[in-house]
Amino acid sequence: MALPAPLQNFVDGPKMPKLVLGVVGVVVIAVVSYFFLISPVQARIEALVAKRTQVNDEVVKVRAQVAEIERYKREIDELEKRLALLKDRLPSDKETPTLYRAVSSAAEQSGLSVALFQPKAAVPKDVVSEIPITITASGTYHQLAKFFERVAGLPRVVNVNDFKMAGLGKSKDSMRADLTLATYMYRSAPPPPPAKPGAPAAKPSAALPSSGARS
């Protein structure tokens, strides 16, 4: 089958025009392939790479948040353990009279002559209630030191908030001590609201049994 005359002349003609036309054809095919095939794929790849970067950033943030949550959990566990230890050293409402008797017994066993042993109303402070105990006793410095040692050895927390000493004149070692001790009772409830003017005062949370005090 014979080719058309223009096309036959082109085929039989010089090689340079055919080479130029071939190069142009290749360029056109490459451009068309890029815009219709390569460019969409490349755009998709770039979008996926950007999405992967975003996901990686989110994963890093989530891991940091998880690590922070784990740290908070460890701190909470540690605080709960400390709170449990604290509660073990604080008397409950039912155990408070027993503690009063232990403090009074410590004074007597130390040789102090107790003239006054007066627990006062509990004072709410955060998660504990502070219960002041006023003691007036007479004895020697050595006996007072033994009393402090016995109080420090009690399983429950008892602090010496204040004390005053004065000589009795009977001997150089004899003196009178006015002490203010404080024990603490754990309470999970928040402090009660202030009482309205004219409202009756709240009763103390615990009172000293009659067998544990001297008057």
Side-chain angles (χ1 to χ4, degrees):
M1 178 176 163
L3 296 174
L7 185 58
Q8 187 66 41
N9 292 334
F10 178 78
V11 172
D12 295 337
K15 293 183 178 181
M16 184 58 66
K18 291 186 285 185
L19 181 61
V20 172
L21 182 60
V23 172
V24 171
V26 171
V27 172
V28 171
I29 293 173
V31 171
V32 172
S33 299
Y34 176 80
F35 282 104
F36 288 96
L37 297 177
I38 300 177
S39 181
V41 173
Q42 185 175 3
R44 179 62 177 167
I45 292 174
E46 291 175 354
L48 291 175
V49 170
K51 184 65 176 179
R52 184 185 65 180
T53 303
Q54 180 182 358
V55 171
N56 288 339
D57 292 341
E58 292 177 356
V59 168
V60 171
K61 291 180 181 179
V62 170
R63 287 178 177 174
Q65 292 173 354
V66 170
E68 193 74 4
I69 291 174
E70 292 298 327
R71 184 175 69 84
Y72 287 144
K73 286 183 178 179
R74 290 193 297 269
E75 290 181 359
I76 290 173
D77 291 341
E78 183 65 25
L79 290 175
E80 287 179 346
K81 291 178 182 178
R82 292 174 59 186
L83 179 59
L85 293 175
L86 180 62
K87 290 168 68 175
D88 287 341
R89 296 202 62 197
L90 298 180
S92 65
D93 190 21
K94 294 181 180 179
E95 295 170 325
T96 305
T98 303
L99 177 62
Y100 292 161
R101 287 193 291 270
V103 174
S104 178
S105 176
E108 295 175 358
Q109 292 174 6
S110 300
L112 293 176
S113 178
V114 180
L116 175 66
F117 189 100
Q118 183 181 7
K120 297 183 179 180
V123 180
K125 291 188 175 182
D126 296 330
V127 296
V128 298
S129 293
E130 182 182 273
I131 306 174
I133 305 173
T134 300
I135 299 178
T136 299
S138 58
T140 64
Y141 291 103
H142 179 68
Q143 290 170 337
L144 183 62
K146 287 179 62 178
F147 170 68
F148 288 154
E149 183 178 354
R150 289 179 181 273
V151 168
L154 293 175
R156 303 298 185 181
V157 176
V158 179
N159 292 332
V160 180
N161 282 1
D162 187 26
F163 71 93
K164 297 178 181 178
M165 294 185 298
L168 292 178
K170 296 179 181 179
S171 68
K172 62 179 182 179
D173 292 331
S174 181
M175 53 83 191
R176 168 178 169 170
D178 295 319
L179 311 174
T180 301
L181 307 183
T183 187
Y184 304 89
M185 183 173 63
Y186 174 77
R187 56 180 192 81
S188 57
K196 296 180 179 180
K203 294 181 180 181
S205 59
L208 177 68
S210 56
S211 60
R214 292 184 179 181
S215 57

